[in-house]
Amino acid sequence: MSDITSHKVNIRLPDSSIRTYDGPVTGHSIAADIGAGLARAALAAKVDGKIVDLQLPIEKDASVSIVTLKDPDVLELLRHDAAHALAEAAKELFPNIQVTIGPAIDDGFYYDFSREDPFTPDDLESMETRMREIVDRDEVISREVWEKDQAIQYFESVGEYYKAKIVADLPNNEPITIYRQGEFTDLCRGPHLPSTGRLGKAFKLLKVSGAYWRGDSRNEMLQRVYGTAWRDKKELDGYLHRIAEAERRDHRRLGREMGLFHQQEEAAGMVFWHPNGWQLYRTIEAFVRTRLEEGGYIEVKTPQLIDRSLWEASGHWDKFRENMYSMESEEKTFALKPMNCPGHVQVFRQELKSYRDLPLRMAEFGSCHRYEPSGALHGLMRVRNFNQDDAHIFCTEDQINVETEKFVRLLLRIYSDFGFDDVKAKFSDRPQVRAGTDEIWDRAEKALKGAIESIGLDCELNPGDGAFYGPKLDFVLTDAIGRQWQCGTLQVDFVLPERLNANYIGQDGDKHRPVMLHRTVLGSFERFIGILIEQYAGHFPLWLGPVQAVVATITKEGDQYAEIVADQLSNAGLRVRTDLRNEKIGYKVREHSLAKIPIILAIGKKEAENGTVSLRRLGYKEQESLVLADAVTRLRAEASIPV
């Protein structure tokens, strides 16, 4: 009796009911046991939170749910199978090709191939067509476990030397799992769908790029084919629309068209700001500075180049060295600052502080340098030199809750001013590589969690992603086409004040360590400007426009009056230019519209005689005739900075 009982497997279902089976059971059998409809819809099983193949035996008691197309986790499964279908299609069309790796990624998948001839657009079309044929074949996908030597021998025998190398580098005690579909055999951990027919046809191949084998530039270059896969055509079409929108909004192209900035190889990862772009930058900086002054911040400026000894004392040299730029001078090592915090502690330490001085909110629009691999650089979004709206709040432990609440309110207000109202927060706890004792981390995490609870902030847990000196809150914006961007952050730090010997005199007359709250709202100015450009597709709210209005003449008779109009607008605080060129007004309108000038005021003989302007707004064909004084009053109000 006891032997029979020991082989029973108890399965807890999502409704908390328990089903007992006489021995190992598969997800497929459980689904069939629940109902024929679920068995037909089943794509995989989730066992104790981990997705597995429907046919994989479940040998011990477990919580199990059946994965169908309705399950959020199914997208990764579909994309992984799409990658395998792509590899199978490539092998059928180009028999001499070698396959390497093909994972699911955010919004899609890719597969890296070794092939002498570069893929063409026609090749992508052919592979996508063959993938659809593979779906129609509905090939059974089966899992096998091989010995390591067997796998190496097999892949070498069929000319898949990259696969053989991957297997050879695996630990000897790691099981080698092989998946077969039709004539295609691949090394893979899985899981996979039951058959290729379950993949559906809501997928598309998108592009080809180069990729080094194993991401190492010393290795050979492979061809990476990217694709996307979704649950149905509606989701696919929505994604393709977002891609087209993202391309239309690309800040690099708009940056050129609007005369904002450029980048070049001689200063890779850095920005050459043009007059329009620098005006935009200065407008944002001035606006944020006003908000900081309202919030009780003081502003400082700290050095760019600091001796290695301070970075060693702060812990950055040990934990962050690979991201820092350094140089030798007079037998000393200096580093360009990757962040402002150690410098702010030095300012704090120059005069003995009392508890009455806290909280002390110290801000800096600090220029920082961090090494980013050249392959990771991406316009304004990923740079090596950036400026932060950085600040550090020196406070007591008892002040953390209040300061967190004040900061969150400030951050949400600024985001709303820039047009971002969909904001989410993520709480990140201790990373594996960190400074400080577990006791200090316990205190810091407890303090930040308490602050979150006190203000009722909804947070998603992001485990293990804290800064090396403390837990943090990250704030994520959702833009106009649904993309998410992490910008602002708040970090609770008990470590740096200790390492750099920051003190204040408490009510008891003794020295105490302040808590240091690291915080930014925009984060990198460069990145935030890139996000803004794409959020608005270059069509900024009038208060942000680098050039807010152009006064363009229709005929030469309007030149003198155009200067008067421009002067009055300028005196009202608008950023305005004149266009008196001997060109047709249609040409001028098209040119200034391409540059995303919000307002064009057309001036001809009639307007000069009547003291009026013809006002045209970006994106609209209609124009409005206004008396000059009314136009100035209206535009001045529209261009005012949010209050």
Side-chain angles (χ1 to χ4, degrees):
M1 187 66 152
S2 60
D3 288 342
I4 295 174
T5 304
S6 67
H7 285 88
K8 290 187 179 296
V9 176
N10 297 307
I11 301 300
R12 180 181 294 275
L13 298 174
D15 63 1
S16 296
S17 65
I18 295 178
R19 294 182 183 239
T20 301
Y21 297 89
D22 293 326
V25 62
T26 66
H28 176 75
S29 296
I30 295 170
D33 194 18
I34 295 171
L38 183 60
R40 287 192 296 271
L43 298 175
K46 187 183 290 186
V47 181
D48 291 334
K50 180 182 179 182
I51 296 181
V52 302
D53 299 320
L54 273 179
Q55 299 297 339
L56 189 71
I58 303 167
E59 299 178 341
K60 61 182 181 179
D61 295 354
S63 295
V64 176
S65 61
I66 302 302
V67 177
T68 69
L69 276 179
K70 296 179 180 179
D71 196 303
D73 293 321
V74 79
L75 281 172
E76 183 175 358
L77 192 64
L78 292 172
R79 289 162 183 166
H80 194 174
D81 277 58
H84 278 236
L86 167 60
E88 182 179 4
K91 289 292 292 183
E92 290 183 0
L93 291 168
F94 313 106
N96 293 327
I97 204 171
Q98 289 191 63
V99 299
T100 63
I101 60 170
I105 56 175
D106 288 346
D107 293 335
F109 60 93
Y110 69 78
Y111 218 113
D112 288 347
F113 299 100
S114 175
R115 182 178 183 236
E116 288 188 9
D117 297 326
F119 285 120
T120 67
D122 287 342
D123 291 336
L124 259 63
E125 186 175 338
S126 297
M127 286 190 287
E128 186 177 312
T129 299
R130 184 59 61 92
M131 288 172 68
R132 298 184 189 283
E133 294 173 8
I134 290 168
V135 170
D136 289 336
R137 293 178 205 161
D138 197 19
E139 299 167 347
V140 172
I141 301 175
S142 60
R143 177 181 183 272
E144 301 175 11
V145 179
W146 289 7
E147 295 293 330
K148 185 173 182 177
D149 289 343
Q150 177 190 1
I152 294 173
Q153 183 178 2
Y154 169 77
F155 284 116
E156 287 181 342
S157 71
V158 295
E160 294 288 0
Y161 299 108
Y162 290 93
K163 288 290 183 184
K165 176 63 175 172
I166 294 172
V167 176
D169 290 344
L170 293 174
N172 290 328
N173 59 352
E174 185 169 326
I176 308 301
T177 52
I178 301 295
Y179 280 82
R180 294 183 186 270
Q181 56 189 58
E183 299 299 317
F184 180 64
T185 302
D186 203 357
L187 170 72
C188 187
R189 288 192 177 93
H192 282 283
L193 299 167
S195 67
T196 59
R198 307 303 296 277
L199 172 60
K201 296 183 178 180
F203 57 78
K204 184 170 183 58
L205 299 185
L206 301 173
K207 64 178 181 178
V208 181
S209 70
Y212 291 110
W213 164 239
R214 289 183 165 170
D216 190 333
S217 60
R218 295 170 295 184
N219 292 337
E220 55 269 41
M221 178 70 76
L222 305 174
Q223 296 186 68
R224 175 169 295 177
V225 178
Y226 283 97
T228 189
W230 298 84
R231 284 177 280 210
D232 54 41
K233 187 175 185 299
K234 182 179 179 181
E235 286 187 347
L236 174 63
D237 289 345
Y239 175 72
L240 295 177
H241 173 72
R242 291 195 298 275
I243 287 181
E245 269 297 292
E247 186 174 343
R248 185 177 74 85
R249 295 166 181 262
D250 191 312
H251 72 281
R252 295 165 296 181
R253 177 179 58 80
L254 290 172
R256 291 191 300 272
E257 292 176 358
M258 297 173 67
L260 301 178
F261 70 92
H262 84 275
Q263 294 171 289
Q264 59 190 62
E265 283 301 315
E266 291 83 353
M270 306 190 196
V271 184
F272 292 83
W273 290 106
H274 297 194
N276 285 353
W278 191 239
Q279 178 61 63
L280 174 63
Y281 184 104
R282 290 174 58 225
T283 300
I284 294 171
E285 182 180 55
F287 171 72
V288 174
R289 178 174 284 116
T290 299
R291 289 285 185 259
L292 293 180
E293 290 172 352
E294 293 170 354
Y297 287 80
I298 58 172
E299 189 174 338
V300 299
K301 195 71 174 175
T302 58
Q304 289 287 101
L305 200 61
I306 299 177
D307 190 278
R308 166 181 173 170
S309 59
L310 181 59
W311 301 114
E312 288 176 333
S314 70
H316 289 85
W317 196 260
D318 181 39
K319 302 293 192 299
F320 208 73
R321 172 69 187 90
E322 63 183 17
N323 299 105
M324 297 171 66
Y325 289 100
S326 61
M327 60 170 287
E328 304 290 329
S329 178
E330 297 182 344
E331 299 183 354
K332 289 185 176 182
T333 302
F334 297 87
L336 284 169
K337 66 178 178 182
M339 52 194 68
N340 303 296
C341 30
H344 287 192
V345 178
Q346 305 315 301
V347 176
F348 180 86
R349 292 178 65 239
Q350 292 310 298
E351 296 177 359
L352 188 61
K353 302 295 188 297
S354 160
Y355 69 93
R356 294 187 181 90
D357 298 316
L358 306 183
L360 177 62
R361 307 180 188 101
M362 188 182 298
E364 178 175 5
F365 295 102
S367 179
C368 300
H369 289 77
R370 295 181 191 174
Y371 170 70
E372 296 281 359
S374 57
L377 300 176
H378 179 72
L380 299 180
M381 304 301 195
R382 198 77 175 265
V383 292
R384 289 172 173 165
N385 174 218
F386 59 94
N387 293 265
Q388 286 184 311
D389 64 322
D390 203 3
H392 296 90
I393 303 169
F394 296 88
C395 63
T396 67
E397 202 163 339
D398 292 339
Q399 293 170 331
I400 292 176
N401 283 12
V402 172
E403 290 304 308
T404 298
E405 180 178 4
K406 287 182 177 179
F407 169 67
V408 171
R409 287 181 177 173
L410 172 69
L411 172 139
L412 294 177
R413 181 185 178 191
I414 291 175
Y415 286 168
S416 181
D417 290 334
F418 283 111
F420 297 104
D421 294 309
D422 186 350
V423 183
K424 293 180 174 61
K426 294 183 178 182
F427 173 79
S428 301
D429 57 14
R430 67 194 73 185
Q432 284 190 336
V433 178
R434 59 183 182 268
T437 64
D438 286 344
E439 179 185 0
I440 286 177
W441 274 87
D442 289 341
R443 285 172 58 201
E445 288 175 356
K446 181 180 178 181
L448 186 52
K449 286 177 182 176
I452 293 168
E453 291 170 2
S454 72
I455 61 177
L457 183 67
D458 290 332
C459 274
E460 175 186 331
L461 179 62
N462 190 22
D465 199 43
F468 77 80
Y469 43 73
K472 64 177 179 173
L473 274 178
D474 286 330
F475 295 87
V476 181
L477 311 176
T478 300
D479 70 10
I481 58 174
R483 297 172 301 181
Q484 294 190 327
W485 306 93
Q486 189 273 309
C487 294
T489 187
L490 174 72
Q491 302 161 2
V492 176
D493 183 4
F494 287 76
V495 174
L496 209 57
E498 179 74 29
R499 294 185 69 116
L500 297 182
N501 195 29
N503 301 289
Y504 70 93
I505 303 300
Q507 285 181 283
D508 57 7
D510 292 334
K511 287 185 176 181
H512 298 271
R513 300 289 188 204
V515 179
M516 194 171 174
L517 305 182
H518 306 242
R519 46 110 297 173
T520 65
V521 176
L522 308 186
S524 158
F525 264 67
E526 284 72 12
R527 184 167 177 269
F528 191 79
I529 289 173
I531 294 169
L532 273 180
I533 293 170
E534 298 196 359
Q535 163 78 357
Y536 290 106
H539 188 172
F540 295 121
L542 192 56
W543 73 275
L544 275 175
V547 178
Q548 295 167 317
V550 167
V551 181
T553 52
I554 301 171
T555 61
K556 280 297 179 183
E557 288 92 334
D559 285 3
Q560 187 174 358
Y561 179 58
E563 296 286 7
I564 294 171
V565 172
D567 286 344
Q568 290 199 23
L569 290 170
S570 182
N571 292 337
L574 277 88
R575 297 183 286 274
V576 60
R577 293 180 185 169
T578 57
D579 185 348
L580 310 181
R581 294 174 299 166
N582 186 25
E583 299 284 356
K584 292 182 178 180
I585 189 63
Y587 176 85
K588 294 180 181 181
V589 168
R590 285 192 298 274
E591 188 176 75
H592 297 308
S593 296
L594 182 65
K596 301 295 188 289
I597 305 300
I599 302 292
I600 299 175
L601 300 166
I603 303 297
K605 181 179 180 181
K606 182 181 70 173
E607 286 79 14
E609 291 174 347
N610 297 334
T612 60
V613 295
S614 292
L615 187 151
R616 182 194 296 263
R617 297 179 183 275
L618 179 63
Y620 294 88
K621 292 183 178 180
E622 301 80 9
Q623 59 185 26
E624 182 180 10
S625 180
L626 293 170
V627 174
L628 176 56
D630 292 342
V632 171
T633 300
R634 181 186 297 185
L635 294 178
R636 177 170 51 197
E638 290 183 21
S640 60
I641 293 175
V643 295

